[in-house]
Structures are given as structure tokens and as C-alpha cells.
């Protein structure tokens, strides 16, 4: 079990956790990314939590489907990566999906407000997300999805790398490694 560093800084905690987790390999040295954590470290951004803005209840345990739904419904960017939730011990960091609003705020349709202390993930272009979900027959783009455990990790992306068209272009780093929305809508 990977434990918390105890720093109290969610971005630092997630970064340290990813550095350790990316050493667990799915692939070998010929792969562009040897693990999901390695892929997220290469392309991901840190996001701070925000209150849920959606109409309707949050859906714990259904993050990939819920984030896909709200991305399609509102035009928000779908983000896949990791969430830090110290209260969820012993699994304080876990694979997760959420959205980023047009204003650049996290909209997490799965975790109740106050559970996550930070997020680190890859904002995706809607067309790329839908294409990968169709190809994999699951709502998760990169990682395994409890609703379809046979899908496993997206080995093609881990082997070949992430195509440029995959990234949501309107979500960017604010210069500190934190994700924010640029002016205008998030959807590509």
C-alpha cells in the first residue's frame, strides 16, 4: 500500500504518489508510457476541488459514465487521471474521471463535495474521448472501468503515445502546473 506523505499539500501529495505509482509497469521499455500513472504524469494537470454544479445527485462508483454524461450534456471537458481523497483510506489516491467547466472549475459528478482534496489528470478532446470509449466498449478512456473489467488499460495509447488531437485545447496550465480554462468554452 502506498501511503500519504503527510505534507498536507494536495498537489505535492498527488505528484509524490504518481512518482511512486508510475514505477509499477504495465509495459516495457519499448512503450511510450509504461503505466497509466506515467501517461498522466506526462500530460496531466493539477486541479483543485470545487462544489458540484450539476443538477442531480453525484454518482459514487460511476465516475467514468457520470463524467462522460456531463461532458456531453454541458460541453465540459472530460478529465481522466487520479483523485486524492485522504478520508478514503486505505486507498487515498485512485483512478478517477471528472469534468472541468467553461470557467475552469472542477465539476466532479461522482465524489461528494469535500471528499477529494485534489485532482491530477488529462483533459480530453470530446471526439477523441468518444472514439476511445467506442473502441474499448467502456466509459474509461485510459484505465480500467469497474463496469467493464475486461477492457483493462488502454494498451494502444500506452504503447504508441497520446496523439496531439487527444488533448482538450482550451484547458491549460496556469504556469504553476495547475489546470485552468482559457477564455471561452472548454469544449473543442
Amino acid at each position: 500500500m502506498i501511503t500519504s506523505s503527510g505534507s498536507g499539500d494536495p498537489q505535492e501529495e498527488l505528484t509524490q504518489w504518481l512518482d511512486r505509482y508510475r514505477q509499477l509497469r504495465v509495459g516495457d521499455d519499448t512503450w511510450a508510457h509504461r503505466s497509466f500513472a506515467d501517461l498522466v504524469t506526462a500530460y496531466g494537470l493539477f486541479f483543485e476541488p470545487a462544489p458540484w454544479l450539476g443538477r442531480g445527485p453525484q454518482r459514487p462508483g460511476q465516475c467514468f459514465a457520470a463524467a462522460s454524461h456531463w461532458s456531453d450534456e454541458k460541453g465540459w471537458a472530460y478529465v481522466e487521471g487520479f483523485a486524492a481523497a485522504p478520508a478514503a483510506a486505505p486507498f487515498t489516491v485512485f483512478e478517477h474521471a471528472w469534468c472541468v467547466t467553461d470557467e475552469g472549475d472542477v465539476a466532479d459528478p461522482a465524489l461528494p463535495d469535500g471528499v477529494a482534496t485534489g485532482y491530477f489528470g488529462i483533459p480530453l478532446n470530446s471526439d477523441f474521448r468518444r472514439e476511445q470509449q467506442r473502441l474499448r466498449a467502456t466509459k474509461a478512456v485510459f484505465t480500467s472501468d469497474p463496469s467493464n473489467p475486461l477492457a483493462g488499460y488502454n494498451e494502444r495509447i500506452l504503447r504508441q503515445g497520446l496523439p496531439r488531437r487527444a488533448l482538450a485545447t482550451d484547458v491549460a496550465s496556469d504556469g504553476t502546473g495547475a489546470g485552468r480554462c482559457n477564455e471561452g468554452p472548454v469544449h473543442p
Side-chain angles (χ1 to χ4, degrees):
M1 174 175 53
I2 298 174
T3 58
S4 167
S5 70
S7 75
D9 176 1
Q11 185 171 1
E12 182 181 325
E13 297 258 346
L14 276 163
T15 301
Q16 289 176 4
W17 189 89
L18 281 167
D19 284 343
R20 290 186 298 248
Y21 185 53
R22 67 191 285 219
Q23 295 172 34
L24 301 174
R25 299 179 180 185
V26 174
D28 60 33
D29 290 340
T30 65
W31 289 28
H33 301 285
R34 293 180 285 187
S35 68
F36 176 51
D38 188 52
L39 177 72
V40 172
T41 300
Y43 294 97
L45 299 170
F46 176 78
F47 296 91
E48 293 184 4
W52 173 234
L53 300 172
R55 291 171 293 170
Q58 289 161 295
R59 297 166 34 194
Q62 300 177 30
C63 65
F64 304 109
S68 294
H69 168 81
W70 285 98
S71 177
D72 290 338
E73 176 88 13
K74 295 285 192 179
W76 295 338
Y78 172 97
V79 185
E80 197 167 307
F82 295 90
F91 305 106
T92 60
V93 176
F94 47 86
E95 297 165 353
H96 192 59
W98 62 95
C99 295
V100 175
T101 69
D102 294 347
E103 291 76 30
D105 296 321
V106 165
D108 188 337
L111 292 179
D113 289 354
V115 171
T117 58
Y119 301 84
F120 201 97
I122 305 171
L124 296 173
N125 170 292
S126 293
D127 291 336
F128 175 81
R129 171 185 56 86
R130 287 186 203 103
E131 170 191 285
Q132 292 300 308
Q133 289 171 331
R134 273 191 306 274
L135 288 171
R136 291 170 35 80
T138 180
K139 293 298 183 183
V141 174
F142 301 123
T143 190
S144 58
D145 181 351
S147 70
N148 182 1
L150 298 177
Y153 288 97
N154 190 330
E155 287 189 19
R156 187 175 68 76
I157 296 297
L158 293 177
R159 284 178 196 268
Q160 299 173 3
L162 193 61
R164 269 209 171 298
R165 67 182 180 80
L167 301 174
T169 58
D170 291 338
V171 180
S173 172
D174 66 1
T176 67
R180 293 302 302 163
C181 178
N182 293 332
E183 298 283 326
V186 169
H187 46 268

